[in-house]
Amino acid sequence: MGATTTGSGDPALPHLRTAWDGERMRELFERSLQPPGGTPLKIESCRVARFRYREGLRCIAHYEVTLDHSRTKDAGGIRWVTGLMYAGGKNAGVERDLRRCLVQSERGCNNRLGLEPTGFIPELGMHVQVFPFDRYLPRLPVFVAGPPPELRRALEAAFGRGNWSLQDCRVSTVRYRPLQGATLRYVVQARDGDGGRTEQRTFYVKLYRNGADDRAYDIVRSLERAAADRRIGFDVAPVVARCESQSVLVMGAASGTSLDRLVAQGHSITAAAVSVATALATLHTGDIATLRVYGHDEFVAQARRAGTLIQWAYPAVRNELAKLVDVLQRVPREPLSRPVHGDLKGDHVFLDGDRVSIIDFDNFAAGEPMIDAAMMTARLATLSLTKNVDEVDAGEAADAFIGRYLSLVPESWGEKFAPCYAHALLQIALYCVRHQEKDWRNKLESLLHRATSVISMSSRIGE
């Protein structure tokens, strides 16, 4: 963690505190994003939805902005606005990319936004983009408006034999990470001109930055083959179509209900946790080629980045945080090299009876398998903090998961559980801070206390 990160700011990015303040940003957005002409638009509220910060380099702040709904065409008037601040004079490139985005999208969404799609706040040196306009996803507005002709044909072909024609497509946004990617849900209704029947199917359109769809496509195809050959004990959502020129993959829907939804519906998830552990063990012990390595250096870098932002946001935990990051830096450098998911969480796991499906392998790599197992254990154990699940129920699910997993993998793998679990808790703490979750300071303190307790009970770390 850098010496400049003291809670007062970063000399290279002097306006971080303003970007962190939702109310101040509401005032600035209201002034800088007004559409030309017409009645001035009022912004009712602005909250930080995600805050990404690299010390001395950049800040990407994602906001959820609520417009005066009486003056917008949609109830609630919620918009996603992203502020981009860079050190070292990168603003010219940002302005060029945003102009390109406007041209490629043909300005098709401008009137529906209620705000100017892009802007600049000079006192902060902040460029602003309003979803679906995105500097690195220039075609996102086109896909948000509905399938373009090349995708429309692919969706019709996905219905199989017959003379299918698309009749209707309802579009919603599942996930959006500014400058990185987006996932859209297309609920498509099509009619077979030969038989006269009508069917409805759901597809997920994933837009990637800079050709990253190549790697994602290869990964999913490899996992599809592994599932068909029973080399892994779970299903994956299939690739339905690909628009290579647009860096877009179209995925089918996973069968069943996500673990997160089961939690939200109040179901006991202990049995589900056991099924997920069984499926995960088959991935880690399977023979599946990977295209990337997640090694010790990346493990440590993640811990340092988490420490930098958390310490900047909440200096009161500086000492506890420094101790934790220091211990994680001293974890032995010899991780296993097994296939790992890399972003395992409840909305990436689906259950249909005893059958498990796992989705979103964008972080798939060769690495330490306990990273996945510890992360899922941590997510289950902290459901009492993050999802208001009873603490006893959350603990039982976590214990059932890790107990089942460890029973299926080599005994020696368990030696890495403590540092990987502490690392996972640190990442969950980072999530709470980045998203300014309700009561995030108390959640942060609780998560860091759990992480340091795990470390203190594992005296062998770093020896």
Side-chain angles (χ1 to χ4, degrees), residues 22-61:
E23 175 56 27
R24 177 63 178 136
M25 292 307 301
R26 183 195 67 78
E27 298 171 359
L28 293 170
F29 288 148
E30 192 169 73
R31 188 189 70 202
S32 63
L33 294 177
Q34 289 290 342
T39 305
L41 191 65
K42 179 179 176 54
I43 294 179
E44 293 186 343
S45 65
C46 173
R47 75 170 190 89
V48 176
R50 183 178 174 87
F51 198 85
R52 291 160 52 200
Y53 163 54
R54 288 290 183 91
E55 184 179 11
L57 295 176
R58 63 182 177 270
C59 170
I60 301 169

Side-chain angles (χ1 to χ4, degrees), residues 250-271:
V250 181
M251 314 294 295
S255 62
T257 306
S258 74
L259 189 61
D260 270 2
R261 184 172 291 276
L262 291 174
V263 170
Q265 293 172 346
H267 295 287
S268 172
I269 58 168
T270 299

Side-chain angles (χ1 to χ4, degrees), residues 131-245:
F131 179 88
F133 294 88
D134 187 288
R135 176 187 182 189
Y136 289 145
L137 303 170
R139 295 285 285 171
L140 178 57
V142 174
F143 284 88
V144 167
E150 64 269 31
L151 181 56
R152 186 184 186 99
R153 291 189 293 271
L155 292 175
E156 290 170 346
F159 279 81
R161 296 180 61 181
N163 183 24
W164 293 96
S165 61
L166 192 151
Q167 303 293 302
D168 183 56
C169 180
R170 299 195 305 276
V171 182
S172 57
T173 304
V174 176
R175 186 185 189 194
Y176 171 55
R177 298 188 69 184
L179 309 187
Q180 295 181 314
T183 302
L184 308 175
R185 181 187 294 110
Y186 279 14
V187 180
V188 176
Q189 188 175 83
R191 184 176 184 275
D192 181 4
D194 293 337
R197 58 196 170 116
T198 298
E199 289 188 12
Q200 180 174 289
R201 297 188 185 180
T202 300
F203 304 96
Y204 292 87
V205 179
K206 301 187 69 171
L207 290 89
Y208 291 86
R209 170 183 168 181
N210 294 339
D213 59 306
D214 288 341
R215 177 176 172 273
Y217 176 81
D218 290 340
I219 289 169
V220 175
R221 284 301 195 202
S222 175
L223 290 166
E224 284 185 271
R225 290 191 293 270
D229 297 341
R230 299 186 181 276
R231 287 181 284 131
I232 53 176
F234 58 90
D235 296 324
V236 295
V239 175
V240 173
R242 185 183 184 194
C243 299
E244 293 185 62
S245 62

